[in-house]
Amino acid sequence: SKSKQTSTNMMNLTYRARSLNHKQTFIRRIPRIQNRCDRSYATEISSVTASEIAKFGELAQRWWDPQGPLRTLHHINPTRISYVKRNMVSDQESITPLKGKRMLDIGCGAGVLSEPLARLGANVVGVDAAATSIAAAISHSQIDPLLKDNLSYRCSTAEDLVKEGEQFDAVCALEVIEHVADPAAFLASCSALVKPGGHLFISTIDKTPQSFLTVIVGAEYFLNLLDRGTHDWNKFIGPQDITTILNGIGGMKVHNVTGLAYNPLTEKCSEAPHVGMNYIMTIQKDNTS
């Protein structure tokens, strides 16, 4: 009926206005929160480079834009979350299967991974070396009051948390290691942050000719899916190299390596057997370590 259609249109307009208001509030809060972050946190950076911090810090207002420069991150996120959940807990039916788990999201950016993990029940700490990203993360999380009790953010690094003696049931470093200066030092810090019996999840890009053609040439220069310069192919690292580093650290066992296949036409991501491109790993710490 005409009255029903009018009611539906009014509801849609109300929803759009509310969404726009949230977005405007989110953006307005960033500078104010960033000032607080800059005053409150000091970090000694080792495996993280200043250029990488600046690169992603400049994207603070765009992290949550589903059509923005980080849109592929939003496309692959459901597959990453499903993988982490499945490899952490056996209960896949609960709406909060990660309840009781304390998790760390390293290189969290504006919380694209942190927020969904918190909604699954985990007590999540998101850390990033870019104060602008942390400001964006805090601002966006305030849109959903249900996150206030089990999601927190810190402008910090993995190395700083190790010095503080922090440990977690699970540590996630997804799409991070390809941006660090020293992968071995970074993995050592990640491993130290995992509780005995806990899990470390790493996702990144293998260093292969296929990844150069697809990620650098295709995604960054041809399809413009990513900003040019987002990645440095020389920093890509394969699962065998990560395994070798972890074997040298000791006490960490690789349980699973799974490929992540992304289709830019459908904007969908799925797990795949081939690991010569994007892949994700499950690593578990010995109970005695």
Side-chain angles (χ1 to χ4, degrees):
S1 67
K2 187 174 181 179
S3 60
K4 185 175 182 181
Q5 183 62 45
T6 301
S7 177
T8 301
N9 290 340
M10 288 298 295
M11 289 175 64
N12 289 337
L13 287 171
T14 301
Y15 174 78
R16 288 172 190 164
R18 188 178 301 148
S19 298
L20 180 61
N21 183 56
H22 282 326
K23 183 176 181 180
Q24 291 171 338
T25 301
F26 158 60
I27 293 173
R28 282 200 307 269
R29 285 172 177 165
I30 290 176
R32 174 165 45 86
I33 297 174
Q34 183 191 346
N35 289 335
R36 192 165 70 240
C37 289
D38 289 336
R39 291 194 304 269
S40 301
Y41 300 113
T43 181
E44 295 179 11
I45 299 165
S46 57
S47 66
V48 189
T49 63
S51 60
E52 291 290 344
I53 295 171
K55 181 195 302 180
F56 289 96
E58 290 172 357
L59 296 171
Q61 295 185 10
R62 305 295 304 279
W63 272 97
W64 285 97
D65 181 356
Q67 301 302 320
L70 296 167
R71 60 188 178 278
T72 56
L73 201 59
H74 292 268
H75 299 159
I76 69 173
N77 211 34
T79 305
R80 301 190 308 174
I81 294 164
S82 176
Y83 176 91
V84 168
K85 181 178 70 169
R86 188 177 70 250
N87 284 276
M88 268 194 72
V89 294
S90 56
D91 181 8
Q92 300 299 305
E93 301 301 322
S94 171
I95 60 172
T96 54
L98 301 180
K99 188 174 182 179
K101 301 292 185 182
R102 188 167 185 251
M103 301 183 69
L104 173 66
D105 181 12
I106 299 177
C108 65
V112 173
L113 176 69
S114 300
E115 285 195 14
L117 292 176
R119 290 190 180 95
L120 289 173
N123 189 331
V124 180
V125 177
V127 301
D128 201 284
T132 50
S133 295
I134 289 298
I138 293 172
S139 179
H140 193 272
S141 69
Q142 291 173 348
I143 295 172
D144 184 356
L146 296 178
L147 296 174
K148 66 182 179 65
D149 293 328
N150 64 324
L151 175 60
S152 61
Y153 291 106
R154 297 174 58 181
C155 187
S156 187
T157 65
E159 291 82 4
D160 287 341
L161 296 183
V162 171
K163 293 175 184 177
E164 295 168 16
E166 288 274 19
Q167 284 197 317
F168 301 81
D169 297 301
V171 173
C172 295
L174 307 190
E175 278 64 57
V176 175
I177 195 171
E178 69 270 24
H179 298 288
V180 305
D182 188 341
F186 178 72
L187 286 171
S189 295
C190 291
S191 300
L193 290 167
V194 180
K195 288 181 180 179
H199 293 84
L200 169 61
F201 295 98
I202 301 282
S203 67
T204 187
I205 309 170
D206 198 353
K207 189 178 180 182
T208 62
Q210 182 186 1
S211 68
F212 179 80
L213 290 172
T214 304
V215 178
I216 305 299
V217 178
E220 294 190 15
Y221 284 84
F222 183 66
L223 297 175
N224 294 317
L225 293 173
L226 301 168
D227 285 350
R228 294 182 182 185
T230 298
H231 295 102
D232 178 352
W233 184 77
N234 292 306
K235 288 185 175 182
F236 289 0
I237 184 170
Q240 188 54 54
D241 294 321
I242 290 179
T243 301
T244 299
I245 294 171
L246 291 170
N247 288 340
I249 295 170
M252 304 294 288
K253 182 179 180 181
V254 175
H255 280 284
N256 177 271
V257 182
T258 298
L260 296 176
Y262 176 70
N263 186 329
L265 298 178
T266 62
E267 299 184 338
K268 300 292 184 183
C269 178
S270 60
E271 294 183 20
H274 178 60
V275 297
M277 276 285 298
N278 296 73
Y279 64 92
I280 189 166
M281 307 176 69
T282 300
I283 302 125
Q284 188 166 24
K285 193 170 194 175
D286 292 344
N287 279 311
T288 57
S289 296

